[in-house]
Amino acid sequence: MPAPSDLVARLGLPPGARALILNADDFGMCRAANRAITELLVDGHLDSTTLMVPCPWAPEALAFAASRTDLDLGVHLVLTSEWTSYRWRPLTGVGTTLVDAAGYFPADCRTVEEQASDADVAAELAAQIDAALAAGMDVTHLDNHMGSVYGVETGRTFLPQVFELAARHGLPFRLPRTIGGMGMPDAYQGVLDQATAAADAAGVVILDHLLTHPFELLGEGTAEEEDYASMKATFLDLVRATEPGVTEFFLHPMLDDDELGDVADFAVAKRGFERRLLADPDVAATLAEEGIVRVGWRDLRDVQRGLPPRVRDASGTPAARVGDAVGGAR
């Protein structure tokens, strides 16, 4: 397994520091996502979120982002539309290789890898970033919905297009240096090493580690269905096992209400569990007990743009710089 990079040092943290970003994916997908994520961000339970620009509720999310440029909000680059009855289309229109027979993004990554042209992918991802910037969003980072750019299904990757955009805009990207914590086969580490070398060559800042837990509600509909207590215990165990370096843990918190029940085909209760989890006092207490420092993607963006690290107090909280938006200190 590769050793951690020098990113913690570049962030002004001591050697061996364990730094963690708590990110919420799928901002803008639906109102249930928007309501949960804005609440968690404003209350400080999340370090960042990433916004799905093509989705129906993106305008509300973009308006929030433009009003709170002190918060860390990135673009969740979209090439898929996974739900049966609630779908979204490319910003670049339906006359491209990015759509299915109904004119929506495909439901799965394999279809994207097999049919999308490099040029159409590059144009669409650029359009999503440009739309976020035009709406007044201070984009702090990039990541990807469902992993459609990584080439996991067929080996055909769209990372060169992503790295070009990330370098052009001075934005870090969600890519770990190790496969640990992601449930990937060991053989994929070699592929990941090539991808991380390409990111480094492009000057794009990436993570040391990436963690999540299953998107699905384990055992849904059976007597062994996952409950909140078991999900929480698993999450806290993963947090305690956080390795030295910079780690992102991404989740998908939403209100588990009637709207989400109409949107999502499964795991509605899990989305509500994650919302509850992030606000659970035991999470903050465990981070403190473990000496884990919470950082944000804005910190990584500063590194990529050559800005000095923020001065941090004993708790790891950075002081605001001159020129930061009001409320900009984490």
Side-chain angles (χ1 to χ4, degrees), residues 30-43:
C30 59
R31 191 146 194 255
N34 290 356
R35 292 171 67 191
I37 291 170
T38 53
E39 173 188 73
L40 291 165
L41 270 175
V42 169
D43 289 346

Side-chain angles (χ1 to χ4, degrees), residues 248-269:
E248 185 195 57
F249 202 120
F250 68 92
L251 302 98
H252 304 81
M254 301 181 194
L255 300 184
D256 53 344
D257 58 8
D258 289 343
E259 182 215 10
L260 188 60
D262 290 337
V263 165
D265 298 332
F266 57 88
V268 171

Side-chain angles (χ1 to χ4, degrees), residues 302-320:
D302 286 350
V303 168
Q304 184 162 331
R305 294 181 177 182
L307 297 174
R310 300 182 185 216
V311 176
R312 295 176 180 271
D313 63 22
S315 70
T317 302

